[in-house]
Amino acid sequence: MSIAVLGSGAFGTALAISLACDGPDITLWARSATQATAMQKDRVNEARLPHANFPASLHITADLANLKEQQTLLIAVPMQQLAHFIDRNKAHLANKTLVACCKGIDLQSGLSPTQVIRAILPEARTAVLTGPSFAHDVAAGLPTALTLACEDSKLGQMLQTALSTSNIRLYRSTDVTGAELGGALKNVIAIACGAAIGAGLGESARAALITRGYAEMRRMADVLGAQSETLAGLSGFGDLALTCASEGSRNFRFGLSLGRSEPFDANITVEGAATARACHEKAKELEVDMPITAAVTAMIDQTLTLKQAMDSLLARPLKEETC
């Protein structure tokens, strides 16, 4: 199976390195021709993964027309840019297998990654690759387990075999809805956890946010028809645990800045910010109770301070614990 990775951010680059380390030729597409030339010459992505050298079998291009032979394309562009990217490059992406490697909900349409792809390319063969992973771990060859979700079980089996590497172990699922929701919503909870730690509220507060945030994720997943087992797996609870507990997460670091009332680098993509807004709107539409998501959205939009957000959560009616 011929494979290319579209998107030379940290995670796209890391995936390409891991796939190429196992031998087959892999092509990594970069949006910038200047960046592509530099990476091909220096054999490293200096801007995103400066300490991860490229294997000899990793090739770089900035021209999607060079990917005519690659039938499986891993799309690792930011979620809020996905729709524009797919629409602009429809001719190059048609009749390919497209594996979404981004996490989130499109703010404009409220669609998940594979839904965005199919809205523009209805005949596309789609799957999603998601789960607990940091780019630097993947690129360094450290063991990582991910979920490969595909509604077509036969295609899913083929992709599972083709995309597994010596350090990436893939678990297969047909529950695309659950896998995508887990990957999207955990970023919102990570922002909340970062804000709590940044404000000095302590580890107990973080544990409470993780637990109750997981309950929110499951409530939304249940309404949208996802399987509860998926949310308990790598793409749900596993990704939630990693993202809420490490400063390696951009969403957690963004939350830290909120909690500390510090500015955050605008050049760093924080998928959870847009996802919080999109999920908050969807929760209102579907009448799903998601108070942490609402509080995070209000903090991002600066309609509530952190103290006001925490006070609103603590003032909620006492209830029996149920998921």
Side-chain angles (χ1 to χ4, degrees):
M1 184 181 290
S2 54
I3 299 168
V5 180
L6 310 186
S8 59
F11 191 63
T13 301
L15 281 175
I17 289 172
S18 180
L19 288 162
C21 276
D22 278 11
D25 286 349
I26 300 295
T27 301
L28 175 64
W29 173 85
R31 180 177 57 184
S32 162
T34 301
Q35 183 194 24
T37 300
M39 288 194 295
Q40 186 66 37
K41 175 179 177 291
D42 300 334
R43 307 304 297 165
V44 69
N45 186 341
E46 190 63 40
R48 300 294 186 179
L49 282 175
H51 304 298
N53 294 324
F54 291 176
S57 55
L58 178 55
H59 309 286
I60 316 298
T61 186
D63 188 352
L64 287 175
N66 292 331
L67 304 180
K68 292 179 181 178
E69 302 302 318
Q70 283 79 5
Q71 290 302 308
T72 300
L73 306 180
L74 277 61
I75 303 179
V77 302
M79 181 64 211
Q80 302 309 317
Q81 298 175 23
L82 180 63
H84 177 67
F85 173 80
I86 299 294
D87 187 60
R88 187 182 61 201
N89 298 293
K90 285 186 291 189
H92 297 296
L93 304 178
N95 302 313
K96 306 275 190 179
T97 296
L98 306 178
V99 182
C101 301
C102 48
K103 301 173 183 178
I105 299 173
D106 182 73
L107 186 55
Q108 297 301 316
S109 65
L111 299 179
S112 70
T114 58
Q115 288 173 335
V116 166
I117 294 171
R118 289 200 303 272
I120 301 169
L121 293 171
E123 303 304 317
R125 300 180 297 275
T126 60
V128 61
L129 183 64
T130 186
S133 54
F134 287 149
H136 52 80
D137 288 344
V138 173
L142 298 178
T144 303
L146 300 173
T147 297
L148 186 285
C150 182
E151 292 177 357
D152 182 334
S153 58
K154 184 176 180 180
L155 176 60
Q157 290 175 18
M158 293 172 59
L159 290 170
Q160 181 184 35
T161 300
L163 301 180
S164 293
T165 72
S166 55
N167 71 300
I168 298 178
R169 178 178 174 82
L170 298 185
Y171 287 82
R172 191 175 68 254
S173 173
T174 57
D175 182 16
V176 174
T177 298
E180 290 186 314
L181 277 174
L185 300 185
K186 58 88 184 180
N187 283 334
V188 180
I189 309 306
I191 293 174
C193 289
I197 295 300
L201 300 182
E203 296 293 344
S204 297
R206 169 160 45 189
L209 286 167
I210 292 173
T211 307
R212 298 315 305 163
Y214 179 64
E216 286 192 17
M217 291 167 59
R218 289 190 59 178
R219 284 197 291 272
M220 176 61 82
D222 287 344
V223 169
L224 293 178
Q227 300 168 13
S228 59
E229 310 90 80
T230 305
L231 272 293
L234 290 164
S235 58
F237 182 76
D239 212 354
L240 180 70
L242 177 67
T243 311
C244 292
S246 172
E247 291 191 32
S249 161
R250 291 168 294 182
N251 293 279
F252 181 80
R253 294 200 307 273
F254 176 69
L256 282 176
S257 72
L258 288 177
R260 295 168 178 167
S261 299
E262 296 175 349
F264 191 77
D265 187 348
N267 294 317
I268 297 177
T269 300
V270 181
E271 297 286 17
T275 296
R277 295 186 178 104
C279 185
H280 180 51
E281 290 303 314
K282 189 178 287 287
K284 289 192 295 183
E285 175 190 341
L286 299 174
E287 298 183 346
V288 180
D289 187 28
M290 301 188 75
I292 297 173
T293 300
V296 168
T297 302
M299 286 192 294
I300 293 170
D301 291 341
Q302 298 183 337
T303 58
L304 280 183
T305 65
L306 173 64
K307 183 179 186 308
Q308 290 170 330
M310 292 305 298
D311 286 347
S312 70
L313 291 174
L314 292 172
R316 284 169 54 82
L318 299 177
K319 55 184 286 189
E320 181 180 2
E321 183 178 36
T322 61
C323 293

Short mmCIF file of all heavy atoms in Angstrom, two decimals, residues 3 14-24 26 138 141-144 146 159-170:
data_model
loop_
_atom_site.label_atom_id
_atom_site.label_comp_id
_atom_site.label_asym_id
_atom_site.label_seq_id
_atom_site.Cartn_x
_atom_site.Cartn_y
_atom_site.Cartn_z
N ILE A 3 1.79 5.07 0.53
CA ILE A 3 1.29 5.97 1.56
C ILE A 3 1.99 7.32 1.48
O ILE A 3 3.20 7.40 1.24
CB ILE A 3 1.52 5.37 2.96
CG1 ILE A 3 0.78 4.04 3.10
CG2 ILE A 3 1.09 6.34 4.06
CD1 ILE A 3 1.18 3.25 4.34
N ALA A 14 6.03 13.31 12.47
CA ALA A 14 6.33 12.16 13.30
C ALA A 14 5.76 10.87 12.71
O ALA A 14 6.43 9.83 12.69
CB ALA A 14 5.79 12.37 14.71
N LEU A 15 4.53 10.93 12.21
CA LEU A 15 3.94 9.76 11.57
C LEU A 15 4.75 9.32 10.36
O LEU A 15 5.02 8.13 10.17
CB LEU A 15 2.51 10.06 11.13
CG LEU A 15 1.40 10.03 12.17
CD1 LEU A 15 0.08 10.47 11.55
CD2 LEU A 15 1.26 8.62 12.77
N ALA A 16 5.16 10.29 9.55
CA ALA A 16 5.94 9.98 8.36
C ALA A 16 7.27 9.33 8.72
O ALA A 16 7.72 8.37 8.08
CB ALA A 16 6.16 11.25 7.54
N ILE A 17 7.91 9.83 9.76
CA ILE A 17 9.19 9.26 10.21
C ILE A 17 8.99 7.82 10.67
O ILE A 17 9.76 6.92 10.31
CB ILE A 17 9.78 10.12 11.35
CG1 ILE A 17 10.28 11.47 10.80
CG2 ILE A 17 10.93 9.38 12.05
CD1 ILE A 17 10.72 12.44 11.87
N SER A 18 7.96 7.59 11.50
CA SER A 18 7.72 6.24 12.02
C SER A 18 7.43 5.26 10.89
O SER A 18 7.95 4.14 10.87
CB SER A 18 6.56 6.26 13.01
OG SER A 18 6.31 4.97 13.53
N LEU A 19 6.59 5.67 9.94
CA LEU A 19 6.26 4.80 8.81
C LEU A 19 7.48 4.52 7.95
O LEU A 19 7.71 3.39 7.51
CB LEU A 19 5.16 5.44 7.96
CG LEU A 19 3.76 5.46 8.58
CD1 LEU A 19 2.87 6.48 7.87
CD2 LEU A 19 3.13 4.07 8.52
N ALA A 20 8.31 5.55 7.71
CA ALA A 20 9.48 5.39 6.85
C ALA A 20 10.58 4.57 7.52
O ALA A 20 11.38 3.92 6.84
CB ALA A 20 10.02 6.76 6.45
N CYS A 21 10.63 4.59 8.84
CA CYS A 21 11.66 3.83 9.56
C CYS A 21 11.52 2.33 9.34
O CYS A 21 12.49 1.59 9.50
CB CYS A 21 11.60 4.14 11.05
SG CYS A 21 12.48 5.63 11.53
N ASP A 22 10.32 1.89 9.00
CA ASP A 22 10.11 0.46 8.80
C ASP A 22 10.41 0.01 7.38
O ASP A 22 10.13 -1.13 7.02
CB ASP A 22 8.66 0.10 9.16
CG ASP A 22 8.49 -0.10 10.67
OD1 ASP A 22 9.42 0.25 11.41
OD2 ASP A 22 7.45 -0.61 11.09
N GLY A 23 10.93 0.91 6.54
CA GLY A 23 11.43 0.47 5.24
C GLY A 23 10.80 1.04 4.00
O GLY A 23 11.51 1.49 3.11
N PRO A 24 9.44 1.08 3.88
CA PRO A 24 8.85 1.50 2.61
C PRO A 24 9.05 3.00 2.38
O PRO A 24 9.18 3.78 3.33
CB PRO A 24 7.36 1.17 2.79
CG PRO A 24 7.15 1.23 4.27
CD PRO A 24 8.42 0.71 4.88
N ILE A 26 8.04 6.62 1.93
CA ILE A 26 6.92 7.43 2.41
C ILE A 26 7.16 8.87 1.94
O ILE A 26 8.28 9.37 2.01
CB ILE A 26 6.82 7.41 3.96
CG1 ILE A 26 6.59 5.98 4.47
CG2 ILE A 26 5.72 8.34 4.45
CD1 ILE A 26 5.27 5.38 4.06
N VAL A 138 6.42 9.64 19.18
CA VAL A 138 6.27 8.85 17.96
C VAL A 138 7.53 8.93 17.11
O VAL A 138 8.05 7.92 16.62
CB VAL A 138 5.04 9.34 17.16
CG1 VAL A 138 4.97 8.64 15.80
CG2 VAL A 138 3.76 9.09 17.94
N GLY A 141 10.54 6.92 18.21
CA GLY A 141 10.40 5.47 18.18
C GLY A 141 9.90 4.88 19.48
O GLY A 141 10.02 3.67 19.70
N LEU A 142 9.32 5.70 20.35
CA LEU A 142 8.81 5.20 21.62
C LEU A 142 7.46 4.51 21.41
O LEU A 142 6.70 4.89 20.52
CB LEU A 142 8.67 6.36 22.61
CG LEU A 142 9.98 7.08 22.96
CD1 LEU A 142 9.72 8.25 23.90
CD2 LEU A 142 10.99 6.11 23.57
N PRO A 143 7.16 3.50 22.22
CA PRO A 143 5.93 2.73 22.00
C PRO A 143 4.68 3.58 22.17
O PRO A 143 4.52 4.30 23.15
CB PRO A 143 6.02 1.62 23.06
CG PRO A 143 7.00 2.11 24.07
CD PRO A 143 7.96 2.97 23.34
N THR A 144 3.78 3.47 21.20
CA THR A 144 2.54 4.25 21.18
C THR A 144 1.41 3.36 20.67
O THR A 144 1.60 2.61 19.71
CB THR A 144 2.69 5.46 20.24
OG1 THR A 144 3.80 6.25 20.66
CG2 THR A 144 1.43 6.32 20.24
N LEU A 146 -2.58 3.44 19.27
CA LEU A 146 -3.59 4.34 18.72
C LEU A 146 -4.81 3.54 18.25
O LEU A 146 -4.74 2.32 18.10
CB LEU A 146 -3.02 5.13 17.53
CG LEU A 146 -1.81 6.03 17.80
CD1 LEU A 146 -1.28 6.60 16.49
CD2 LEU A 146 -2.19 7.14 18.76
N LEU A 159 -5.87 -1.10 6.47
CA LEU A 159 -5.17 0.07 6.99
C LEU A 159 -4.43 -0.25 8.28
O LEU A 159 -3.32 0.24 8.51
CB LEU A 159 -6.16 1.21 7.23
CG LEU A 159 -6.76 1.86 5.98
CD1 LEU A 159 -7.90 2.80 6.36
CD2 LEU A 159 -5.68 2.59 5.19
N GLN A 160 -5.04 -1.07 9.12
CA GLN A 160 -4.39 -1.46 10.38
C GLN A 160 -3.05 -2.11 10.10
O GLN A 160 -2.04 -1.82 10.76
CB GLN A 160 -5.29 -2.40 11.17
CG GLN A 160 -4.70 -2.83 12.51
CD GLN A 160 -5.60 -3.84 13.22
OE1 GLN A 160 -6.24 -4.67 12.57
NE2 GLN A 160 -5.66 -3.77 14.53
N THR A 161 -3.01 -2.99 9.12
CA THR A 161 -1.77 -3.68 8.76
C THR A 161 -0.77 -2.71 8.14
O THR A 161 0.42 -2.71 8.50
CB THR A 161 -2.06 -4.82 7.78
OG1 THR A 161 -2.94 -5.75 8.39
CG2 THR A 161 -0.78 -5.53 7.36
N ALA A 162 -1.25 -1.87 7.24
CA ALA A 162 -0.35 -0.98 6.50
C ALA A 162 0.24 0.13 7.37
O ALA A 162 1.38 0.56 7.15
CB ALA A 162 -1.09 -0.35 5.32
N LEU A 163 -0.51 0.59 8.37
CA LEU A 163 -0.08 1.75 9.14
C LEU A 163 0.54 1.39 10.48
O LEU A 163 1.04 2.28 11.19
CB LEU A 163 -1.27 2.69 9.37
CG LEU A 163 -1.94 3.23 8.10
CD1 LEU A 163 -3.11 4.13 8.46
CD2 LEU A 163 -0.95 3.95 7.21
N SER A 164 0.53 0.14 10.85
CA SER A 164 1.22 -0.28 12.07
C SER A 164 2.72 -0.28 11.82
O SER A 164 3.18 -0.65 10.74
CB SER A 164 0.77 -1.68 12.50
OG SER A 164 -0.57 -1.69 12.91
N THR A 165 3.48 0.18 12.80
CA THR A 165 4.94 0.23 12.65
C THR A 165 5.57 -0.46 13.85
O THR A 165 4.89 -0.96 14.74
CB THR A 165 5.43 1.69 12.57
OG1 THR A 165 5.31 2.31 13.87
CG2 THR A 165 4.64 2.49 11.55
N SER A 166 6.89 -0.45 13.89
CA SER A 166 7.60 -1.11 14.99
C SER A 166 7.33 -0.44 16.33
O SER A 166 7.50 -1.08 17.38
CB SER A 166 9.10 -1.14 14.71
OG SER A 166 9.58 0.17 14.47
N ASN A 167 6.91 0.83 16.32
CA ASN A 167 6.61 1.49 17.60
C ASN A 167 5.16 1.95 17.73
O ASN A 167 4.75 2.37 18.80
CB ASN A 167 7.54 2.69 17.83
CG ASN A 167 7.24 3.87 16.91
OD1 ASN A 167 7.31 3.74 15.70
ND2 ASN A 167 6.94 5.02 17.50
N ILE A 168 4.37 1.85 16.65
CA ILE A 168 2.96 2.23 16.73
C ILE A 168 2.09 0.99 16.59
O ILE A 168 2.12 0.31 15.56
CB ILE A 168 2.58 3.24 15.62
CG1 ILE A 168 3.37 4.53 15.76
CG2 ILE A 168 1.09 3.54 15.67
CD1 ILE A 168 3.08 5.54 14.67
N ARG A 169 1.35 0.69 17.64
CA ARG A 169 0.42 -0.44 17.63
C ARG A 169 -0.99 0.11 17.45
O ARG A 169 -1.44 0.96 18.22
CB ARG A 169 0.52 -1.23 18.94
CG ARG A 169 -0.46 -2.40 19.03
CD ARG A 169 -0.28 -3.17 20.33
NE ARG A 169 -1.28 -4.20 20.50
CZ ARG A 169 -1.23 -5.42 19.95
NH1 ARG A 169 -0.19 -5.73 19.19
NH2 ARG A 169 -2.18 -6.30 20.17
N LEU A 170 -1.67 -0.38 16.43
CA LEU A 170 -3.01 0.11 16.12
C LEU A 170 -4.07 -0.88 16.57
O LEU A 170 -3.96 -2.08 16.31
CB LEU A 170 -3.15 0.36 14.62
CG LEU A 170 -2.23 1.42 14.01
CD1 LEU A 170 -2.59 1.63 12.54
CD2 LEU A 170 -2.33 2.73 14.76
#
